[in-house]
Amino acid sequence: METQQTSKHSDAAKQPDPMLVRPLQIHRIIKELGDTFSLILQPQDDDADFPFQPGQFNMLYVYGVGEVPISISGDPARRETLVHTTREVGTVTRAMRKLKVGDSLGVRGPYGKGWPVDKAENQDIVLLTGGIGLAPLRPMIHYLLTRREKYGRIVLLYGARTPEDILYRKDLEKWRSRFDLEMHLTVDHATGAWRGNVGVVTSLVSRSPFDPQNCIAMVCGPEIMMRFAVMELQKRGVADDRIYISMERNMKCGIGLCGHCQLGPTFVCKDGPVYCYVDIKDIFTKREM
Amino acid sequence: MTEITLPDKDVVVLERKNFQGLLDALSDSGYELLGPIVRDSAIVYERIHAVDELPVGWVDVCEPGKYRLVKEKKKTLFGCTIGSQSWRRFLHPPTSKLWEATRDGNGFKVIQPEPDQVKRALIGVRSCDLAALAIHDKILSQGQYIDHSYQERRRNLFVVAVNCVRPGGTCFCASMKTGPKATSGFDLALTEMYVSNRHYFIVEPGSKAGKKLVDKLPVRQPKESEIKAAQKELNKAASGMTRTIDSEHIGKLLNEKFDDPHWEAIAERCLACGNCTMVCPTCFCTNVEDSTDLTGQHAQRQRWWDSCFTVDYSYIHGGSIRTSVTSRYRQWMMHKLVYWQEQFGMSGCVGCGRCITWCPVGIDITEEARQLTVKE
């Protein structure tokens, strides 16, 4: 029998099938690091508009190979293209790297909850990230700099394994030359002519100039790094409801229907990937949750 | 426990000899009939046409890790309680093709499959499985994103429920408040009566479509004694269940037991085979696989049921999140009894007992819940 509830949601039923992918053409490929590359996507027709919230992700499909969730890493103000930075770590991303300009990639999204852009207004902003974790934060940095007057101090703390592993070098140089963004870089292992910080990125928190009582911290990196980042921020006196982290889990659908990304009572695809730490502090530290 | 009663209005009696008429009326309305049959010594739900395909005279004997069918003298049609599989396979199939794609220059074109427009009538759905159906409705067709293939199949469904007058050996629906009598979500609900060699069905319409169908059948008004007898049987079934879960408090109690050593004790017995997730009527997890044919000109995305008991289920680059059996059993049980409440505002367990019966080592969710939450 048809339930009342089913008919009530007939509007949603008129939506196109959310599992269908939209083929987009690879317009440009940027080799970022040895195993990391950015794909700039555009539609085959002229119907180009990709609104998204900084921190959201898309499901990217390589024809015949598979689909993976990848965060959007371009400037949210430039809605005519989609930018994704990917590291080659599995079957799909390996196949993705072999694609050429003019080839197509299937896209579904944008999905998930992004960084708290509104809550961050009038606050100091601490961006704490390591490795490729800078990719999901780059749209946020663009967003902040476009509306610079709405925010307090902006501090970017970024750690990479070696100086050669520093992502988005051109962007970082551009941002470093600004007087309204403070940036500290660190590497785990110094090589060559590196004269900057050496050590884990979380050690930069204690010396950074921001007001712990009036700040929003946005953290993105490996889980172990985020755990220590939270501890360092708490030591500075940042309250749990001012800390945001971006989580990663296995995803097959991206829309809360496949079950894979469950983290305790939440679905990373729709309740995350960006979480307010206060909402998941009880489950974040549990092993094999 | 509240007394189970049948409604005063609209309830009619269908004699056993006229039961085929019910099936024919549905067939004539264009429905494909799906009902319980005996196959491989078990009850399975399959396509049926005639009343004698039903498991006439069979009764199921269910215990933890044990399932047998026994022939009885009474020629009941629905003496067996629930099938080994649940009905979800007809609405959310074990495997399905989500879409196909073909090469188109450097790119590709995506082709959506034709919508499933088959009208299905499910014959003999128990109240626990009705509750499971309502759960899938909520998850798959009432959220922000809709599972289109589920919604298509769901739209054309006719449900003939059967109230349980005999609890199965592993059932605990009464404590989960999902049975043994169907209270909503059906077009017709039957109570099968077999008393003093009289064999008839009390028929309760639950929808307009159900009422319309009843009008086509040779039914009569019930006697008061017949209603009373049926109510007595239903109440007997409710009180006959030996297993219980404290459904009101279990979520809160279990949520505090994430680090309890008893999970390890369960994992020592659990084979992580995933049988419980395959027979569970509310499990909805799926995996997808993309593939091409040998020419590379045609690609497709296939979806199939997945199980949180596999290591791959939680795999992200670098390794799986839940590597131990302890963590995987815990995820399954805590999802059903704890997280489901927060996610969907309802329990993920309907008390059908299939996971107990079909567990090869007889792990009993009600017993493990008790061990974890009841202090000695």
Side-chain angles (χ1 to χ4, degrees):
Chain A
M1 68 181 294
E2 189 178 336
T3 59
Q4 282 180 336
Q5 289 93 325
T6 345
S7 47
K8 195 172 71 188
H9 283 262
S10 54
D11 285 349
K14 283 174 199 148
Q15 291 170 1
D17 187 339
M19 286 304 281
L20 290 179
V21 303
R22 176 183 178 186
L24 294 180
Q25 209 161 46
I26 299 176
H27 179 61
R28 205 151 71 84
I29 300 172
I30 303 169
K31 187 173 175 350
E32 305 279 3
L33 303 171
D35 57 356
T36 307
F37 55 96
S38 294
L39 301 177
I40 289 95
L41 307 174
Q42 274 182 345
Q44 279 149 335
D45 46 61
D46 291 332
D47 177 24
D49 188 28
F50 304 108
F52 71 95
Q53 292 292 314
Q56 284 192 304
F57 67 93
N58 276 322
M59 296 298 288
L60 300 187
Y61 163 72
V62 180
Y63 177 83
V65 179
E67 196 180 43
V68 283
I70 305 285
S71 68
I72 308 171
S73 51
D75 183 347
R78 301 190 53 189
R79 288 162 52 155
E80 69 282 7
T81 55
L82 264 181
V83 181
H84 289 279
T85 300
T86 309
R87 192 154 61 99
E88 193 185 331
V89 290
T91 318
V92 179
T93 49
R94 210 170 296 140
M96 208 179 278
R97 196 183 171 195
K98 291 194 183 120
L99 296 175
K100 297 185 178 66
V101 169
D103 287 348
S104 285
L105 200 64
V107 178
R108 299 190 289 127
Y111 297 133
K113 290 206 172 78
W115 302 106
V117 290
D118 294 331
K119 196 176 158 187
E121 284 187 13
N122 302 315
Q123 303 287 316
D124 285 359
I125 310 292
V126 187
L127 305 153
L128 184 51
T129 172
I132 198 171
L134 183 57
L137 272 173
R138 189 168 67 167
M140 189 63 216
I141 300 170
H142 283 302
Y143 188 95
L144 293 169
L145 295 178
T146 309
R147 299 160 183 77
R148 185 65 193 86
E149 73 290 349
K150 286 191 173 181
Y151 301 93
R153 277 170 288 192
I154 301 177
V155 183
L156 171 62
L157 309 176
Y158 177 55
R161 257 174 290 178
T162 70
E164 289 72 40
D165 293 315
I166 291 174
L167 191 64
Y168 302 148
R169 256 174 194 279
K170 274 189 192 156
D171 286 321
L172 292 171
E173 277 160 22
K174 220 184 294 167
W175 296 334
R176 194 199 278 282
S177 66
R178 293 178 69 121
F179 296 107
D180 57 359
L181 181 146
E182 181 148 352
M183 193 166 87
H184 295 285
L185 303 185
T186 183
V187 296
D188 295 339
H189 307 287
T191 53
W194 180 257
R195 263 176 260 122
N197 295 304
V198 177
V200 290
V201 66
T202 49
S203 65
L204 300 174
V205 174
S206 61
R207 316 181 247 140
S208 295
F210 62 89
D211 177 1
Q213 263 75 52
N214 293 293
C215 79
I216 294 291
M218 306 183 192
V219 186
C220 187
E223 264 181 56
I224 182 79
M225 169 267 185
M226 294 201 289
R227 232 167 265 172
F228 281 98
V230 169
M231 278 162 56
E232 288 297 325
L233 289 163
Q234 287 170 330
K235 265 194 235 166
R236 275 290 298 266
V238 181
D240 290 348
D241 63 351
R242 295 178 169 277
I243 302 173
Y244 286 79
I245 60 178
S246 182
M247 295 296 292
E248 190 177 4
R249 284 292 181 272
N250 184 317
M251 287 181 196
K252 297 295 177 198
C253 74
I255 53 177
L257 302 180
C258 80
H260 281 256
C261 70
Q262 286 178 83
L263 175 66
T266 75
F267 290 87
V268 174
C269 68
K270 55 177 194 179
D271 301 310
V274 175
Y275 287 88
C276 184
Y277 182 68
V278 77
D279 295 332
I280 55 162
K281 60 177 182 179
D282 294 335
I283 53 181
F284 181 57
T285 49
K286 298 269 188 221
R287 286 192 60 215
E288 295 191 281
M289 182 71 149
Chain B
M1 200 174 289
T2 44
E3 182 85 6
I4 299 170
T5 54
L6 287 160
D8 308 330
K9 268 177 52 183
D10 296 334
V11 174
V12 292
V13 171
L14 179 73
E15 295 293 339
R16 161 64 184 88
K17 65 177 194 303
N18 296 323
F19 195 86
Q20 182 64 44
L22 169 64
L23 301 183
D24 292 344
L26 282 166
S27 294
D28 293 347
S29 308
Y31 286 100
E32 179 182 300
L33 307 183
L34 298 157
I37 63 157
V38 176
R39 194 184 69 201
D40 301 335
S41 309
I43 297 295
V44 292
Y45 302 127
E46 280 295 348
R47 183 80 196 267
I48 57 165
H49 302 88
V51 64
D52 53 15
E53 291 170 79
L54 294 168
V56 181
W58 288 102
V59 168
D60 53 351
V61 178
C62 297
E63 288 171 32
K66 186 186 163 183
Y67 181 91
R68 297 284 183 277
L69 290 183
V70 179
K71 198 87 179 181
E72 275 202 340
K73 271 188 194 155
K74 283 187 187 176
K75 292 200 169 349
T76 52
L77 304 185
F78 299 99
C80 293
T81 50
I82 50 169
S84 52
Q85 306 151 315
S86 78
W87 298 93
R88 73 165 151 137
R89 54 190 292 259
F90 300 112
L91 297 161
H92 188 245
T95 63
S96 60
K97 188 158 57 181
L98 292 181
W99 46 260
E100 287 176 74
T102 54
R103 277 263 181 228
D104 180 24
N106 283 349
F108 59 90
K109 272 189 189 145
V110 178
I111 308 149
Q112 195 168 6
E114 289 296 309
D116 183 308
Q117 292 179 330
V118 177
K119 288 170 75 179
R120 295 178 178 86
L122 310 183
I123 313 293
V125 183
R126 305 303 172 129
S127 59
C128 54
D129 285 341
L130 285 178
L133 194 58
I135 287 173
H136 276 188
D137 284 348
K138 170 108 183 170
I139 297 170
L140 301 172
S141 69
Q142 289 164 25
Q144 188 189 351
Y145 296 102
I146 306 274
D147 182 327
H148 282 231
S149 76
Y150 179 85
Q151 201 176 38
E152 282 159 13
R153 288 159 175 263
R154 182 71 176 92
R155 194 173 285 142
N156 295 320
L157 206 62
F158 190 98
V159 177
V160 179
V162 168
N163 295 323
C164 292
V165 292
R166 181 188 71 89
T170 54
C171 295
F172 54 103
C173 67
S175 70
M176 299 310 292
K177 302 182 174 59
T178 60
K181 184 190 173 300
T183 52
S184 65
F186 57 84
D187 294 290
L188 294 178
L190 315 177
T191 308
E192 182 173 27
M193 297 299 289
Y194 205 113
V195 275
S196 356
N197 286 329
R198 284 209 47 237
H199 191 184
Y200 59 94
F201 294 86
I202 307 278
V203 183
E204 177 190 348
S207 70
K208 272 185 198 159
K211 272 187 196 149
K212 247 169 86 181
L213 195 84
V214 166
D215 290 342
K216 295 182 189 166
L217 302 177
V219 292
R220 62 169 172 82
Q221 291 302 308
K223 294 176 206 146
E224 204 187 320
S225 62
E226 286 169 332
I227 295 288
K228 277 194 176 152
Q231 288 178 168
K232 196 177 152 198
E233 290 296 309
L234 291 169
N235 283 296
K236 213 167 76 187
S239 56
M241 275 173 250
T242 54
R243 288 179 169 74
T244 58
I245 280 184
D246 179 0
S247 54
E248 246 169 75
H249 303 103
I250 188 69
K252 199 174 171 297
L253 291 172
L254 204 57
N255 202 19
E256 290 159 13
K257 302 293 179 183
F258 187 88
D259 298 311
D260 198 283
H262 186 69
W263 296 112
E264 304 272 352
I266 304 171
E268 276 173 25
R269 286 168 283 145
C270 176
L271 308 174
C273 67
N275 255 18
C276 48
T277 58
M278 294 295 107
V279 296
C280 177
T282 72
C283 273
F284 61 90
C285 287
T286 51
N287 200 346
V288 291
E289 188 180 72
D290 291 293
S291 59
T292 58
D293 64 5
L294 287 175
T295 67
Q297 292 304 303
H298 306 279
Q300 62 170 25
R301 174 166 300 167
Q302 194 84 16
R303 180 175 72 176
W304 67 77
W305 289 355
D306 203 356
S307 171
C308 53
F309 279 89
T310 69
V311 179
D312 275 354
Y313 180 88
S314 63
Y315 180 84
I316 48 173
H317 59 90
S320 290
I321 303 288
R322 296 181 205 101
T323 51
S324 69
V325 176
T326 309
S327 70
R328 282 177 267 146
Y329 184 86
R330 181 176 58 201
Q331 169 61 24
W332 177 73
M333 185 161 152
M334 298 246 324
H335 187 212
K336 293 287 169 204
L337 299 175
V338 185
Y339 306 148
W340 212 292
Q341 288 281 357
E342 278 190 57
Q343 292 170 349
F344 309 111
M346 43 174 64
S347 169
C349 174
V350 295
C352 73
R354 286 187 180 93
C355 60
I356 305 171
T357 307
W358 295 97
C359 176
V361 297
I363 294 174
D364 178 342
I365 187 172
T366 66
E367 183 53 31
E368 305 307 340
R370 185 168 296 104
Q371 291 281 336
L372 281 156
T373 56
V374 179
K375 290 207 175 76
E376 289 295 306

